[in-house]
């Protein structure tokens, strides 16, 4: 009886060991440091960090690298324990505009790292810009026509 119970018990315990599986590809920090916002192009990004897992679906405006880690435990369903997304955005000329890294913590997406080109106009709405220009128009500009 012992000869049968011990191997069966050993198999049951072995089936309950936690296993982790990694999916996707995430460039390392050394390769990302080679990319400069406002200077690099799509081709130089692909050369520096590799081909993206996903690119912009509708207008091809960005590259997305996604890496996740799944925990498998016994007979339970696999559970995602971490996810990281690297988003590299391009402007209309194909030059790098943003490099952002997001993570998934407690079901919420959070920004882990962000390198964004600042144009100084991002926090101003159209109405604020329009009203801000009213003081710049003088009577001479209107009457000289």
């Amino acid at each position: 009886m012992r000869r049968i119970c011990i191997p069966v018990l050993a198999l049951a315990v072995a089936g309950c060991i936690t296993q982790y599986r990694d999916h996707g590809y995430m460039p390392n920090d050394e390769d990302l440091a080679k990319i400069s916002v406002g200077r690099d192009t799509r081709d130089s990004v692909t050369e520096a960090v590799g081909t993206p897992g996903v690119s912009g679906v509708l207008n091809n405006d960005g590259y997305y690298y996604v890496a996740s880690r799944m925990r498998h435990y016994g007979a339970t369903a696999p559970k995602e324990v971490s996810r990281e997304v690297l988003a590299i955005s391009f402007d209309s000329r194909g030059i790098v505009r943003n490099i952002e890294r997001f993570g998934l913590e407690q079901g919420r997406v959070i920004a882990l790292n962000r390198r964004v080109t600042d144009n100084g106009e991002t926090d101003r709405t159209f109405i604020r810009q329009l009203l801000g220009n009213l003081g710049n128009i003088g009577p001479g500009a209107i009457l000289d026509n």
Side-chain angles (χ1 to χ4, degrees), residues 108-128:
R108 294 188 335 232
V109 175
I110 59 164
L112 299 174
N113 188 357
R114 185 173 286 174
R115 288 193 282 168
V116 180
T117 304
D118 184 20
N119 62 5
E121 297 294 327
T122 57
D123 61 342
R124 296 179 65 192
T125 63
F126 173 73
I127 300 294
R128 186 172 291 219

Side-chain angles (χ1 to χ4, degrees), residues 6-133:
I6 291 175
V8 170
L9 186 62
L11 285 174
V13 170
C16 293
I17 294 174
T18 302
Q19 296 178 355
Y20 292 96
R21 294 193 181 152
D22 296 323
H23 301 276
Y25 165 69
M26 182 61 59
N28 59 34
D29 291 335
E30 293 83 25
D31 290 340
L32 283 177
K34 298 175 187 175
I35 301 173
S36 296
V37 174
R39 190 184 73 194
D40 282 309
T41 63
R42 292 179 194 276
D43 294 334
S44 63
V45 168
T46 303
E47 186 176 316
V49 297
T51 306
V54 181
S55 60
V57 177
L58 296 177
N59 53 6
N60 201 20
D61 65 344
Y63 286 172
Y64 303 95
Y65 300 86
V66 181
S68 62
R69 184 173 183 110
M70 303 293 285
R71 182 180 72 199
H72 298 265
Y73 181 73
T76 62
K79 181 180 178 185
E80 185 174 39
V81 293
S82 71
R83 183 187 315 159
E84 217 173 306
V85 177
L86 174 70
I88 301 176
S89 303
F90 300 95
D91 62 13
S92 60
R93 300 172 306 169
I95 306 294
V96 175
R97 182 180 55 192
N98 298 342
I99 299 175
E100 300 174 292
R101 187 180 294 225
F102 300 96
L104 182 68
E105 290 187 12
Q106 298 172 348
R108 294 188 335 232
V109 175
I110 59 164
L112 299 174
N113 188 357
R114 185 173 286 174
R115 288 193 282 168
V116 180
T117 304
D118 184 20
N119 62 5
E121 297 294 327
T122 57
D123 61 342
R124 296 179 65 192
T125 63
F126 173 73
I127 300 294
R128 186 172 291 219
Q129 291 177 18
L130 183 65
L131 294 175
N133 285 329

